[in-house]
Amino acid sequence: MELRYQKAEIGDTELLTRTRIMVLRAVHSLPEDAALDDLTAQSRRYYQRALREGTHTAYLVYDGDRLVGAGGVSYFEVLPTYHNPTGQKAYIMNMYTDPDYRRRGIARRTLDLLVRDARGRGVTAISLDATAMGRPLYEAYGFVGMEAEMELPE
């Protein structure tokens, strides 16, 4: 196994879009025949714009020609706060490892690349949503649960 971690470029939009839909199907237990055409189109537009503008960084992990992992980080700005005086935030998302390659450090290395990218931009506020499977990795890396954040459901 010779893994290659490659920073995604605009030419990787279709592959990133496919991995995004694959992750969403897995996270939400959606059947393969669930219609996700609108979500696919919106994801494609997001990647095209965000990669061009530099507001998203993604890594693709290959074993030879086989895609075995992926992950991304989106960047955005909010009003500065005492704990985040720049207002710059990073949100890690779309972490995926092929089931045949899990428990080999791929997700940890991808996470590390994403965190380094954020830190290299001077971003100190980094968050993510954790699945039950991913939570141990994120906790071991140093992520902690948030107590104050709330969400208004649809």
Side-chain angles (χ1 to χ4, degrees):
M1 179 174 76
E2 192 169 321
L3 299 176
R4 177 172 41 97
Y5 292 78
Q6 178 179 310
K7 192 172 187 178
E9 298 176 352
I10 194 75
D12 297 312
T13 297
E14 288 305 315
L15 182 55
L16 290 168
T17 301
R18 283 196 307 272
T19 62
R20 175 69 178 153
I21 298 306
M22 189 171 50
V23 166
L24 292 175
R25 284 187 191 282
V27 167
H28 299 289
S29 301
L30 300 173
E32 283 300 315
D33 61 351
L36 300 178
D37 295 341
D38 289 340
L39 186 55
T40 299
Q42 290 292 344
S43 296
R44 183 178 297 109
R45 280 192 284 280
Y46 169 83
Y47 281 122
Q48 289 170 340
R49 183 190 79 256
L51 289 172
R52 189 174 52 254
E53 294 173 354
T55 57
H56 187 88
T57 298
Y59 279 90
L60 301 167
V61 186
Y62 294 93
D63 182 8
D65 292 333
R66 181 178 176 179
L67 179 72
V68 298
V73 58
S74 293
Y75 297 100
F76 60 101
E77 184 177 6
V78 298
L79 191 63
T81 65
Y82 176 76
H83 294 290
N84 184 11
T86 68
Q88 300 298 313
K89 289 191 161 201
Y91 182 77
I92 293 175
M93 58 189 351
N94 218 51
M95 294 289 292
Y96 172 77
T97 304
D98 182 299
D100 293 340
Y101 286 78
R102 291 184 181 154
R103 313 284 313 154
R104 297 183 189 189
I106 293 171
R108 174 149 181 105
R109 174 76 175 124
T110 303
L111 179 62
D112 194 52
L113 289 167
L114 297 171
V115 169
R116 286 176 189 227
D117 191 86
R119 297 276 192 240
R121 294 172 182 234
V123 178
T124 58
I126 303 171
S127 62
L128 53 78
D129 283 332
T131 62
M133 187 185 328
R135 184 170 295 279
L137 165 67
Y138 304 132
E139 287 174 344
Y141 197 89
F143 282 87
V144 296
M146 300 184 318
E147 296 178 19
E149 190 163 321
M150 298 177 76
E151 180 177 62
L152 181 62
E154 291 182 32

